[in-house]
Amino acid sequence: MEKKQVWKPGNMLYPVPAVMVSCGDKEGNKNIITVAWTGTICSEPAMVSISVRPERHSYSMIRESGEFVINLTTKELAYATDWCGVKSGRDVDKFASMNLTAAPGSVLQYAPIIAESPVNMECQVTEMIELGSHHMFLGKIASVMVSEKYMNDTGKFELNGTGLVTYSHGEYFTLGERLGKFGYSVKK
């Protein structure tokens, strides 16, 4: 057996998506927070989760408005994704600083989409769970917007051709080599 080291408990579930979550408040202020603690929690109804530290500027916006948008990130958005994760919206306008467009979505009232993202999932908060260092917002996906730029001739959305970014153990990566398709291990 391969020799193993025992470490203190910690999260080592990698890679994870690196997404920009956009939000807004009832006074018209808007912000972007970079989140790696996000995931699918249900397919019917379509639901996701994001975990945010309460001291983050976006936390109160999401909590008060009950809305957020998960914007998938690409290789072209990698720099902005990292920058929006290390700068505070209390100090800078992240949309203006990164030349990102805060556009209205199709459903939400306060949280804008990031127009440059290939996929925007507009979410309505259904529950907030205080877990410790992070609080988890459960969100029902109210609308999904996709960029027509990635539609092929047959009308299929080519998500894997967008240059999606992942985060793994402190570093960003784009998706790599395709290994197979769901069910390939049992297909004859």
Side-chain angles (χ1 to χ4, degrees), residues 11-55:
N11 196 327
M12 289 294 289
L13 181 62
Y14 290 113
V16 292
V19 300
M20 290 191 285
V21 173
S22 49
C23 55
D25 64 22
K26 295 177 179 178
E27 287 77 43
N29 300 304
K30 295 170 181 27
N31 196 41
I32 301 168
I33 180 173
T34 299
V35 172
W37 307 136
T38 184
T40 300
I41 57 172
C42 190
S43 55
E44 189 56 45
M47 294 183 70
V48 292
S49 67
I50 60 170
S51 292
V52 179
R53 289 181 180 271
E55 60 269 16

Side-chain angles (χ1 to χ4, degrees), residues 59-108:
Y59 175 87
S60 60
M61 290 181 171
I62 296 168
R63 186 167 183 158
E64 291 168 15
S65 72
E67 301 178 350
F68 62 91
V69 179
I70 294 177
N71 303 275
L72 297 189
T73 59
T74 62
K75 185 176 181 179
E76 290 77 23
L77 293 170
Y79 182 88
T81 302
D82 182 66
W83 194 90
C84 288
V86 296
K87 297 290 184 176
S88 174
R90 287 183 186 93
D91 305 322
V92 295
D93 178 338
K94 295 181 186 183
F95 282 100
S97 296
M98 289 291 101
N99 295 314
L100 296 171
T101 308
S106 64
V107 176
L108 300 184

Side-chain angles (χ1 to χ4, degrees), residues 33 92 98 134 150 175-176 180 186:
I33 180 173
V92 295
M98 289 291 101
H134 290 69
Y150 299 102
L175 293 183
V186 296

